[in-house]
């Protein structure tokens, strides 16, 4: 299946901004994060299709996964 | 910081000063001080631009000490924009300087009979008030340059631009930053119009010869401050995220979350978000030799601010805040950072609130005055505000006024004040704050975006109504207290997540004032402030029907999540039941 992955802020360093990655069906958010070698405490905010997801969320073909480090503002 | 300076601008024979001790206001600072004085002394039914209104300027409880982050200034009055009580708060140097000069508050009262414009100098030897009509309609940057020429390099300024003199609802009060640029604004609620109505153009402060404020227990204080700074540095948001990207790091996440109001609140994400995001902004600033990590006042260790250079590498404006990038950017369909930075500069120079101004232009675009995305038209509109043309005066009246004049239904205001950069349908906690805050739609009053979106201080699903009342209530109480200390609200990211950092703040307050301040005491202070504010508003004619969002948020679904604001009215009425 194809997953659009978007990375933000410091997570882009040495990685990418946006890419379409191939994964086996049933791949979880955790497995994608491991694949991207993102340390667990840096994947602080995770969206799948614009909704908060957690590490166990299973991805489906065509999903957009967005990962943010801890950020804030206002 | 043990005295109050009162300046009666309406006294026969010219403005007159009196200095008194704190009396019944002892123990108050910042927002607690401004709201207490306004609630007690201003007739709630007075006209905001009349002689009976008062403009109260107060540093926080910790301002003027060595406490990190303690330089926020509160300005309060009855608001010409909302008709209710107002506390508007900004960084910059004035809070520290005013506190070192020993003033817990300046209260500007009355109204001059003629149309003379005054400048006020406050220094260690006293106060001098002089009419200076050469300052009329002067822009903020020119004004500060002139004040520096006249009073020397060591001053800081609190001033209004032409918008304040024209008594526009969107008029702000500018505070100078460390480099003496008028970039930090008490923006919300039209406080600049009240200063204009009092005939005061500038308050110039000089603390030469005044020592840093000494806490009651200096040793304990120093230790607590050290732990406090360590806590801020350790937290990833205050230690890393904010310094690196500034507040505008939120553009991408809000657009991803579908809560980024786009085209005047027509949709919840913006295709151009990446082009104006904090990531892009920080890179551009570095490329042009500007500074993406800058503090707005001495003692700020988070340093969320920055500077923005134009294409030729010359300083144009401060790093525009997230709220500004949104209001002048995505909200108006504009995805050009240079245009947004120019609008930020114009707003600061003319002296208008960037949130109100951008929201108003969004409403004007919806009415067809210009097309969404037309940056040149937006710049021209703000220039008209500064010139005071007929169109400019309507726009300077704010989003609610412009919406009425132009016949627009979708007008994003509560109590007459424009909503900031989070759509309440997709971030329901902030919707509760917008609806119920005594200030009108104000994100800083109870920043539920923390738990709704950023997963700081817990998690409450932003798309559901469950838990939003409690979240907003707790944050509104905590914020009212923090706003009284002089602390920048961004410390909240660290104190919400790290109990030991919250404790260090309590220890600092206790050591400063020589009394034991507990977490319960802070909560009581917050409740007390909100109660005074709500009581003023009730006496000014506000009812529970004013604690509501505009109807379209309940009837129009917001894409992409197809959500409406569905927190029940009876639940909104529970926010202040404690
Ligand atoms: S964190 Fe930002 S807003 Fe707060 S005091 Fe520092 S520069 Fe000013």
């Amino acid at each position: 299946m194809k997953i659009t992955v978007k990375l933000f802020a410091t997570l882009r360093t040495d990685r990418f901004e946006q890419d379409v990655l191939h994964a086996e069906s049933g791949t979880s958010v955790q497995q994608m994060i491991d694949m991207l070698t993102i340390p667990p405490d840096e994947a602080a905010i995770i969206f799948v299709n614009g909704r908060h997801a957690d590490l166990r969320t299973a991805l489906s073909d065509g999903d957009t996964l967005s990962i943010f480090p801890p950020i804030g503002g206002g | 910081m043990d005295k109050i300076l009162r300046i009666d601008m309406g006294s026969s024979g010219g403005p007159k000063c009196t200095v008194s001790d704190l009396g019944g206001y002892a123990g108050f600072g910042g927002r607690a001080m401004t709201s207490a004085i306004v609630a007690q002394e201003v007739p709630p039914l007075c006209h905001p631009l009349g002689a009976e209104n008062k403009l109260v300027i107060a540093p926080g409880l910790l301002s003027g000490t060595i406490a990190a982050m303690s330089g926020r200034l509160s300005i309060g009055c009855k608001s010409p924009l909302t008709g209710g009580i107002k506390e508007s708060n900004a960084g910059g140097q004035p809070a520290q300087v005013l506190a070192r000069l020993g003033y817990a508050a300046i209260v500007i009262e009355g109204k001059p009979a003629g149309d003379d414009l005054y400048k006020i100098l406050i220094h260690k030897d006293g106060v001098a008030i002089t009419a200076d009509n050469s300052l009329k309609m002067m822009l903020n940057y020119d004004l500060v340059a002139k004040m520096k020429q006249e009073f020397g390099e060591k001053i800081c300024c609190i001033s209004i631009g032409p918008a304040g003199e024209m008594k526009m609802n969107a008029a702000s009060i500018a505070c100078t930053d460390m480099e003496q640029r008028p970039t930090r604004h008490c923006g919300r609620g039209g406080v600049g119009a009240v200063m204009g109505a009092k005939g005061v153009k500038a308050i110039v402060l000089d603390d030469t010869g005044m020592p840093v404020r000494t806490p009651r227990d200096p040793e304990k204080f120093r230790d607590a401050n050290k732990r406090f700074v360590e806590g801020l540095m350790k937290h990833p948001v205050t230690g890393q995220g904010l310094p690196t990207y500034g507040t505008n790091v939120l553009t991408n996440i809000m657009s991803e979350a579908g809560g980024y109001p786009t085209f005047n609140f027509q949709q919840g994400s913006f295709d151009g978000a990446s082009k104006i995001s904090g990531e892009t902004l920080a890179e551009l600033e570095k490329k042009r030799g500007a500074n993406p990590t800058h503090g707005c006042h001495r003692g700020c260790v988070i340093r969320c601010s920055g500077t923005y250079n134009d294409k030729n590498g010359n300083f144009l404006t401060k790093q525009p805040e997230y709220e500004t990038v949104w209001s002048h950017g995505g909200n108006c369909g504009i995805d050009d950072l240079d245009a947004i930075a120019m609008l930020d500069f114009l707003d600061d120079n003319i002296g208008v609130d960037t949130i109100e101004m951008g929201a108003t232009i969004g409403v004007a675009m919806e009415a067809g005055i210009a097309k969404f995305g037309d940056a040149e038209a937006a710049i021209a509109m703000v220039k008209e505000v500064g010139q005071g043309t007929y169109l400019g005066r309507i726009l300077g009246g704010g989003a609610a006024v412009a919406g009425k004049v132009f016949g627009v239904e979708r007008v994003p205001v509560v109590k007459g004040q424009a909503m900031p950069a989070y759509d309440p349908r997709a971030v329901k906690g902030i919707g509760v704050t917008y609806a119920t805050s005594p200030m009108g739609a104000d994100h800083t009053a109870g920043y539920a975006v923390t738990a709704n979106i950023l997963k700081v201080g817990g998690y409450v699903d932003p798309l559901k109504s469950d838990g939003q009342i409690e979240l907003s209530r707790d944050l509104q109480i905590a914020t009212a207290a923090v706003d009284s200390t002089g602390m920048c609200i961004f410390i909240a990211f660290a104190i919400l997540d790290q109990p030991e950092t919250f404790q260090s703040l309590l220890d600092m307050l206790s050591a400063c004032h020589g009394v034991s301040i507990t977490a319960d005491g802070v909560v009581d202070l917050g409740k007390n402030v909100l109660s005074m504010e709500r009581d003023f508003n009730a006496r000014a004619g506000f009812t529970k029907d004013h604690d509501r969002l505009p109807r379209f948020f309940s009837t129009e679904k917001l894409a992409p999540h197809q959500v409406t604001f569905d927190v029940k009215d009876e639940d909104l009425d529970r926010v202040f039941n404690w």
Side-chain angles (χ1 to χ4, degrees):
Chain A
M1 61 179 185
K2 282 183 185 171
I3 306 292
T4 301
V5 178
K6 295 182 179 180
L7 303 179
F8 296 92
T10 43
L11 299 182
R12 291 177 176 176
T13 316
D14 300 328
R15 293 192 193 89
F16 56 86
E17 231 178 274
Q18 183 170 337
D19 205 351
V20 178
L21 301 185
H22 294 266
E24 277 175 37
S25 74
T27 300
S28 69
V29 169
Q30 175 77 66
Q31 285 167 316
M32 290 299 280
I33 288 174
D34 291 343
M35 235 161 76
L36 293 160
T37 63
I38 297 173
D41 56 337
E42 284 181 31
I45 312 163
I46 300 160
F47 290 99
V48 174
N49 304 327
R51 287 173 187 262
H52 284 281
D54 60 34
L55 295 170
R56 293 179 311 261
T57 306
L59 297 163
S60 312
D61 188 37
D63 278 352
T64 298
L65 169 66
S66 312
I67 311 171
F68 295 80
I71 54 169
Chain B
M1 224 173 68
D2 52 2
K3 50 190 180 178
I4 293 178
L5 170 66
R6 288 178 189 266
I7 302 175
D8 180 2
M9 295 303 296
S11 164
S12 58
K16 209 175 101 211
C17 299
T18 44
V19 175
S20 64
D21 60 19
L22 299 182
Y25 301 120
F28 285 149
R31 176 169 166 189
M33 180 65 92
T34 63
S35 288
I37 295 179
V38 172
Q40 211 160 107
E41 300 183 15
V42 174
L45 295 174
C46 76
H47 194 287
L49 303 177
E52 289 175 306
N53 200 2
K54 299 190 182 192
L55 189 74
V56 186
I57 305 173
L61 286 169
L62 292 168
S63 303
T65 66
I66 57 156
M69 314 302 306
S70 63
R72 302 289 298 192
L73 186 75
S74 291
I75 301 191
C77 58
K78 174 170 174 169
S79 162
L81 185 71
T82 68
I85 197 165
K86 176 55 60 182
E87 184 262 356
S88 189
N89 133 359
Q93 284 297 105
Q96 305 283 31
V97 173
L98 195 56
R100 282 173 195 175
L101 285 162
Y103 296 106
I106 305 178
V107 186
I108 302 180
E109 313 178 336
K111 190 176 179 170
D115 62 356
D116 281 340
L117 196 59
Y118 291 86
K119 61 188 176 202
I120 299 172
L121 172 69
I122 306 176
H123 54 136
K124 78 174 189 333
D125 300 320
V127 183
I129 307 170
T130 330
D132 185 348
N133 292 321
S134 74
L135 305 179
K136 279 193 178 170
M137 296 304 270
M138 203 175 254
L139 295 159
N140 274 319
Y141 275 84
D142 293 341
L143 177 71
V144 170
K146 186 143 196 268
M147 294 300 103
K148 271 164 70 179
Q149 253 176 19
E150 218 167 298
F151 300 112
E153 291 291 324
K154 296 235 168 99
I155 57 162
C156 65
C157 291
I158 300 171
S159 65
I160 56 169
E165 287 183 62
M166 289 186 275
K167 304 177 205 55
M168 290 173 170
N169 287 336
S172 64
I173 296 179
C175 296
T176 46
D177 61 16
M178 286 197 282
E179 287 77 23
Q180 292 161 313
R181 295 181 289 234
T183 57
R184 320 303 307 192
H185 288 243
C186 293
R188 311 245 55 201
V191 289
V194 177
M195 187 155 152
K198 305 281 177 218
V200 178
K201 178 73 174 172
I203 301 170
V204 179
L205 305 168
D206 182 353
D207 65 355
T208 306
M210 297 300 290
V212 174
R213 266 179 73 205
T214 36
R216 286 285 169 85
D217 189 334
E219 208 158 304
K220 276 206 184 123
F221 188 80
R222 220 174 301 120
D223 171 64
N225 186 42
K226 191 163 155 266
R227 286 182 281 125
F228 180 64
V229 172
E230 280 165 7
L232 295 175
M233 294 294 93
K234 190 175 85 187
H235 193 276
V237 171
T238 46
Q240 260 174 18
L242 280 169
T244 311
Y245 298 107
T247 55
N248 192 26
V249 74
L250 293 178
T251 296
N252 276 327
I253 196 167
M254 289 314 306
S255 190
E256 287 297 311
Y260 185 83
T262 304
F263 304 132
N264 186 37
F265 290 76
Q266 291 186 43
Q267 59 190 55
S269 59
F270 179 44
D271 285 342
S274 163
K275 282 180 73 181
I276 57 174
S277 66
E279 289 91 333
T280 308
L281 179 64
E283 206 164 296
L284 184 70
E285 284 169 354
K286 274 191 254 167
K287 201 174 94 196
R288 290 183 180 174
N291 179 8
T293 306
H294 173 269
C296 73
H297 71 271
R298 263 179 225 117
C300 166
V301 296
I302 299 176
R303 297 177 300 157
C304 78
S305 183
T307 58
Y308 189 96
N309 287 354
D310 65 14
K311 288 194 172 86
N312 303 319
N314 299 319
F315 176 86
L316 172 60
T317 189
K318 67 177 181 293
Q319 168 178 292
E321 301 289 347
Y322 167 61
E323 306 298 332
T324 308
V325 174
W326 162 77
S327 71
H328 281 309
N331 186 50
C332 294
I334 293 171
D335 62 4
D336 172 354
L337 278 174
D338 280 321
I340 293 166
M342 175 55 80
L343 287 158
D344 182 75
F345 165 73
L346 290 170
D347 287 348
D348 282 357
N349 213 12
I350 293 164
V352 282
D353 176 25
T354 60
I355 296 176
E356 195 66 43
M357 218 51 254
T360 307
I361 293 173
V363 168
M365 286 178 164
E366 171 127 9
I369 307 291
K371 287 208 166 60
F372 281 110
D374 188 342
E376 265 174 49
I379 289 171
M381 281 194 243
V382 173
K383 285 186 174 161
E384 290 212 35
V385 173
Q387 288 153 2
T389 63
Y390 293 147
L391 175 63
R393 285 193 163 224
I394 292 168
L395 297 170
V401 167
K404 278 203 173 140
V405 174
F406 300 144
V408 175
E409 181 191 345
R410 194 180 294 109
V411 181
V413 300
V414 179
K415 301 183 177 75
Q417 178 168 289
M419 260 175 217
Y422 315 87
D423 197 299
R425 289 165 287 193
V427 194
K428 293 186 202 285
I430 205 77
V432 173
T433 298
Y434 288 164
T436 58
S437 166
M439 298 296 147
D442 178 344
H443 61 300
T444 65
Y447 191 62
V449 179
T450 46
N452 275 174
I453 302 288
L454 305 170
K455 294 201 164 173
V456 171
Y459 175 63
V460 178
D461 188 338
L463 301 173
K464 301 208 175 103
S465 47
D466 308 340
Q468 309 295 1
I469 297 295
E470 294 71 22
L471 175 64
S472 173
R473 172 193 300 141
D474 290 349
L475 287 168
Q476 289 197 57
I477 292 169
T479 304
V482 171
D483 283 347
S484 305
T485 62
M487 284 284 163
C488 172
I489 194 66
F490 292 151
I491 66 165
F493 291 107
I495 62 175
L496 282 170
D497 276 345
Q498 300 168 180
E500 73 280 10
T501 310
F502 181 47
Q503 187 57 47
S504 67
L505 176 64
L506 296 176
D507 293 346
M508 204 151 46
L509 282 163
S510 305
C512 185
H513 297 275
V515 287
S516 165
I517 292 170
T518 61
D520 286 347
V522 168
V523 169
D524 289 345
L525 170 65
K527 287 179 179 170
N528 185 13
V529 171
L530 287 165
S531 300
M532 290 189 291
E533 291 169 350
R534 282 180 52 83
D535 175 59
F536 180 92
N537 281 358
R539 287 181 287 129
F542 284 77
T543 66
K544 62 184 184 181
D545 296 332
H546 295 90
D547 289 346
R548 301 288 182 262
L549 299 184
R551 198 68 190 155
F552 76 89
F553 288 110
S554 323
T555 56
E556 275 182 22
K557 285 187 177 154
L558 181 74
H561 296 307
Q562 304 304 332
V563 275
T564 55
F565 186 75
D566 53 3
V567 177
K568 292 198 190 78
D569 288 352
E570 53 270 32
D571 287 331
L572 292 174
D573 296 338
R574 287 195 296 116
V575 169
F576 300 97
N577 293 350
W578 46 60

